[in-house]
Amino acid sequence: KDVPSLRPEGALLSARCSLYVHLFLQEMKPLTYEILNAATMSALTDIVDKGKRACNMLEEQLKCIEHARSGSDSDGEVKAEGEIKNRPKQDCFVLGDSFSLAEATLAPHLQRLVFIAPKLRREIITTTRKPNANGLDLFKHVFGADKCPRFCRWASAVLSRPSVVATFNEEEVTELMKRGVVVWKDAGGMKGFKTRMEQAKAGLLVHLSARSRK
C-alpha cells in the first residue's frame, strides 16, 4: 500500500504551502503570547484586529493553494462558500485529503491559540457577543474566522485529527503557560466591572446619607 507523501509535489504547490506556513507562523502564532501579555482592553482589541487580518490572509493563501492543487492559475474559478463548508473534513488539509508537514508544524500553535489563550485570558470573551462560546467556536467569533470558510475548515480538520488530539496535553500546557500571563490592569475590562459598580454604589450611599442629614 502506497503511503501518501507529507510534502507537496510540484514547485508551485510547494511554494504556496511554504508561504502558508510562513504566514501562519508570522501572523497567527504570536497572537497567543500577545493575548496573554495584554493587560488592557485596548491592547486586546488591537490583537483581535490583527487576528482578523491574519485569518483573511490565510484564507486567501488557502485559495491560492486550492488553485495550485487543481493546476489552475489564481484567476481561476473559485469554489462557492457553501461547497467549501460542506466539503468532507478529510479534504480540508493543504494537500487535500492528506495530512502534511504543514499541518504537523502548525497544529501545536493552533491548539495553543484556540484552547489555551482564551482559557488564560478570559477577557477576550468581551470582544464577542458569544459569552458561552469555547474552543474553536469562540475562536471563530473573536477573529471572524467564520467568514473565512477555507481557513475554518482547515482549522477544524487539524484540531479534530486523532494524532493531533492524542499528542496535546491541554492541562499540562495550560499549567506551563499560565506562568507567563500578565496581570490584567484595565478597569474597563471584565475584572474592573464589579469594582466600578461597587464604587458607584458606595458613592451613591454616601450621597444619600449626606442628603438625609440635611
Side-chain angles (χ1 to χ4, degrees), residues 28-214:
M28 195 67 80
K29 175 188 172 182
L31 296 179
T32 298
Y33 306 97
E34 290 178 19
I35 289 170
L36 300 184
N37 286 322
T40 66
M41 205 64 220
S42 175
L44 202 55
T45 300
D46 289 343
I47 295 166
V48 168
D49 289 340
K50 287 174 64 177
K52 290 178 179 178
R53 291 194 295 271
C55 283
N56 287 327
M57 291 172 63
L58 292 167
E59 173 74 9
E60 287 302 311
Q61 191 56 35
L62 285 173
K63 190 186 297 184
C64 293
I65 290 173
E66 199 172 85
H67 288 305
R69 280 168 45 196
S70 66
S72 63
D73 57 34
S74 59
D75 296 323
E77 184 180 353
V78 177
K79 288 182 171 59
E81 183 174 322
E83 182 183 345
I84 296 165
K85 287 184 176 180
N86 294 325
R87 184 187 298 169
K89 268 190 179 181
Q90 63 269 25
D91 189 34
C92 296
F93 301 120
V94 294
L95 297 185
D97 60 357
S98 298
F99 189 81
S100 72
L101 283 176
E103 283 82 27
T105 301
L106 302 179
H109 306 299
L110 183 63
Q111 288 171 316
R112 285 165 172 74
L113 180 58
V114 171
F115 299 121
I116 307 298
K119 182 186 293 186
L120 297 177
R121 178 59 78 208
R122 295 303 292 172
E123 289 82 3
I124 200 167
I125 294 175
T126 62
T127 65
T128 177
R129 295 181 181 179
K130 298 286 184 177
N132 298 319
N134 284 293
L136 187 58
D137 188 36
L138 176 61
F139 175 81
K140 291 176 183 178
H141 290 295
V142 169
F143 294 113
D146 51 344
K147 297 178 182 178
C148 302
R150 291 172 180 81
F151 180 68
C152 241
R153 295 290 291 171
W154 176 83
S156 179
V158 171
L159 293 173
S160 62
R161 184 174 172 85
S163 60
V164 171
V165 175
T167 54
F168 183 55
N169 188 328
E170 186 172 341
E171 184 177 342
E172 185 177 301
V173 175
T174 301
E175 188 64 28
L176 288 171
M177 294 188 69
K178 75 178 183 182
R179 301 172 188 173
V181 179
V182 172
V183 176
W184 188 256
K185 300 176 181 178
D186 194 351
M190 289 175 63
K191 293 182 179 178
F193 180 74
K194 185 177 180 181
T195 301
R196 297 200 319 275
M197 290 296 290
E198 290 173 346
Q199 290 172 344
K201 183 179 179 180
L204 179 60
L205 288 174
V206 170
H207 176 71
L208 292 175
S209 177
R211 289 191 60 181
S212 66
R213 290 196 296 269
K214 288 182 180 180

